[in-house]
Amino acid sequence: MTAYIFPPPATPALAIAHSDQRFPIRRVICVGRNYASHAREMGSDPDREPPFFFMKPADAVVAAAGVLPYPGATNELHYEVELVVALKDGGENIAVENALDLVWGYGVGLDLTRRDLQAQAKETRRPWDFSKGFDNSAPCSPLAPASAIGHPDQARIFLEVNGKVVQDGSLNELIWPIADILAHISRFMALQPGDLIFSGTPSGVGALEPGDQVHGEVVGVASFDLTVGPKP
Ligand code: MN
């Protein structure tokens, strides 16, 4: 037994639908601007950009349920609903045609963003970590296994805030499909079991306010309901 100087932190994990088992999380890799409509709303040309990525700490992932804590240091907390891909296997330089073999299952989550801090970071050419990777910044539904639901590539993805649809897209609008994303990442780092990929958001991003009731769903895959907590 290793003698740690204090008890090691618990392994972050997500619930699995219809199971008592949990999915252990290794790290979180997020795709920027993967729907043309969202790339346009953020001021870029979706036809010209290769995929780009940023990361969140594994312990930024929390269950998308109950009350979501409103973070400090922002007045502009934005939602981005995204299909979440959970890996059971890994490797480097994965071929696109083999990439979906790495996938254990799928969920739906929010890539929460302190948009005001991100705008400052863009202006000053500084990193996005504190605008994207804060505590509780990656709420996610329970995961559904690909062995039960397959590999969704046409499903509707949408977000409702207080009963109003604010984001509404389809997985067939992904600029870089999931297999391409996994192959691309694996050229830069070894993917591993437990990695989660947040695959990008459709257009319609906007601010959450305390008390908002939020419903996210990828139809046939997973859904969640949560309430935004008070400002700290
Ligand atoms: Mn995003």
Side-chain angles (χ1 to χ4, degrees):
M1 289 277 284
T2 304
Y4 293 108
I5 57 166
F6 53 80
T11 299
L14 275 172
I16 292 170
H18 314 299
S19 170
D20 293 333
Q21 290 188 296
R22 291 173 68 76
F23 183 91
I25 300 165
R26 177 170 178 265
R27 62 187 169 184
V28 180
I29 305 166
C30 304
V31 187
R33 296 182 203 126
N34 202 18
Y35 290 78
S37 55
H38 177 61
R40 282 189 209 99
E41 78 178 348
M42 299 305 283
S44 35
D45 179 349
D47 296 327
R48 288 220 219 140
E49 290 192 351
F52 71 93
F53 302 90
F54 57 92
M55 300 178 76
K56 301 194 186 218
D59 66 0
V61 179
V62 292
V67 176
L68 174 80
Y70 192 106
T74 187
N75 286 306
E76 198 178 18
L77 176 66
H78 268 205
Y79 52 76
E80 298 188 358
V81 69
E82 309 202 355
L83 175 73
V84 178
V85 184
L87 302 191
K88 66 174 161 57
D89 212 340
E92 293 177 280
N93 299 312
I94 305 288
V96 172
E97 54 268 32
N98 300 327
L100 292 183
D101 294 343
L102 308 183
V103 176
W104 182 84
Y106 298 90
V108 58
L110 290 175
D111 165 18
L112 290 174
T113 304
R114 289 161 161 158
R115 196 70 76 197
D116 43 2
L117 292 196
Q118 188 196 32
Q120 285 173 21
K122 286 179 178 177
E123 266 176 37
T124 52
R125 302 189 178 197
R126 288 179 179 161
W128 287 7
D129 302 51
F130 278 27
S131 61
K132 286 286 198 179
F134 50 93
D135 293 343
N136 310 300
S137 62
C140 188
S141 72
L143 301 175
S147 60
I149 63 161
H151 295 283
D153 59 1
Q154 303 284 328
R156 181 185 178 211
I157 177 170
F158 69 99
L159 189 78
E160 293 177 354
V161 178
N162 301 322
K164 180 175 171 239
V165 176
V166 291
Q167 292 191 273
D168 199 353
S170 167
L171 299 183
N172 67 18
E173 297 163 17
L174 285 170
I175 297 170
W176 300 94
I178 302 306
D180 295 72
I181 289 291
L182 296 176
H184 191 94
I185 296 169
S186 77
R187 290 164 45 205
F188 293 85
M189 62 180 80
L191 289 166
Q192 297 278 356
D195 287 344
L196 292 182
I197 317 297
F198 278 61
S199 58
T201 197
S203 60
V205 299
L208 291 171
E209 299 298 337
D212 281 350
Q213 308 283 324
V214 182
H215 174 82
E217 184 166 347
V218 177
V219 175
V221 175
S223 67
F224 66 81
D225 288 276
L226 59 80
T227 304
V228 180
K231 291 194 180 181

